[in-house]
Amino acid sequence: MPQSIPEPEFDELYREIILDHYRNPRHREPLADPDVVAEGYNPLCGDEVEMGLTFENSRIKGLSCHGRGCSISQASGSMLTEAVIGKSVEEARRLIDLFTKMVTDPEEEPPAELGDLEALQGVAKFPVRVKCATLAWHTLGDGLNQREAGGHVAHHEE
Ligand code: ZN
């Protein structure tokens, strides 16, 4: 990582949550037969994520996320999977909006439905790291759009 990129300071509890997801990412194993594959890249930091999605009616049944990059980008992707699996597409889009608002506005009070994702709010004070936190979320949004467009692979660049 380039040295010019500042490292946010997180509260101890939040740091633990982020590092736990970074070291033990959830739902990392790619899905065998995804309906949609979405890939995201953040050239600012070099972060990459790849997601596979399966749907049942309008619900997200399966979701995998793996990649490489800084702890914020990878922890955010892991936390995303836990927040989004089993949700309807509409609810997932709402979470994308809420999360994006939270990490771009330091004054925003994190809504309760974001749960542990609150841990990432600290990046709001570091605009250069916001793209690390939002990469997985915007990639998910692209995946949902891609499904609606009837396509299969979505590419997202922050
Ligand atoms: Zn990053």
Side-chain angles (χ1 to χ4, degrees):
M1 182 189 307
Q3 290 214 330
S4 57
I5 297 187
E7 201 61 45
E9 294 269 325
F10 292 101
D11 291 347
E12 190 59 30
L13 171 67
Y14 289 167
R15 227 176 77 86
E16 287 298 313
I17 294 172
I18 292 165
L19 283 179
D20 178 52
H21 278 271
Y22 177 56
R23 290 177 182 143
N24 310 294
R26 322 298 199 262
H27 308 283
R28 191 174 198 284
E29 193 63 34
L31 299 179
D33 191 18
D35 296 324
V36 169
V37 172
E39 295 165 349
Y41 179 54
N42 170 21
L44 210 60
C45 181
D47 306 316
E48 295 173 16
V49 296
E50 184 178 318
M51 291 179 175
L53 288 141
T54 57
F55 298 91
E56 197 168 67
N57 303 315
S58 63
R59 212 157 269 281
I60 296 168
K61 190 182 175 204
L63 171 60
S64 67
C65 178
H66 69 276
R68 58 185 174 184
C70 70
S71 58
I72 293 169
S73 67
Q74 302 306 308
S76 185
S78 171
M79 292 166 89
L80 176 153
T81 62
E82 291 201 315
V84 165
I85 290 172
K87 296 281 198 306
S88 69
V89 169
E90 198 179 320
E91 287 166 330
R93 286 195 186 279
R94 183 174 149 73
L95 285 174
I96 294 169
D97 282 350
L98 290 175
F99 182 84
T100 305
K101 274 198 196 99
M102 179 184 78
V103 296
T104 47
D105 182 359
E107 304 302 317
E108 184 85 9
E109 188 66 29
E113 62 192 287
L114 286 180
D116 274 2
L117 289 163
E118 184 183 343
L120 289 164
Q121 192 190 21
V123 303
K125 295 188 194 114
F126 298 84
V128 75
R129 302 308 299 270
V130 169
K131 287 177 189 295
C132 301
T134 55
L135 175 64
W137 294 85
H138 292 163
T139 303
L140 172 66
D142 273 16
L144 299 179
N145 292 343
Q146 198 61 27
R147 171 186 181 251
E148 273 157 29
H152 191 72
V153 180
H155 294 278
H156 178 81
E157 186 162 321
E158 282 290 311

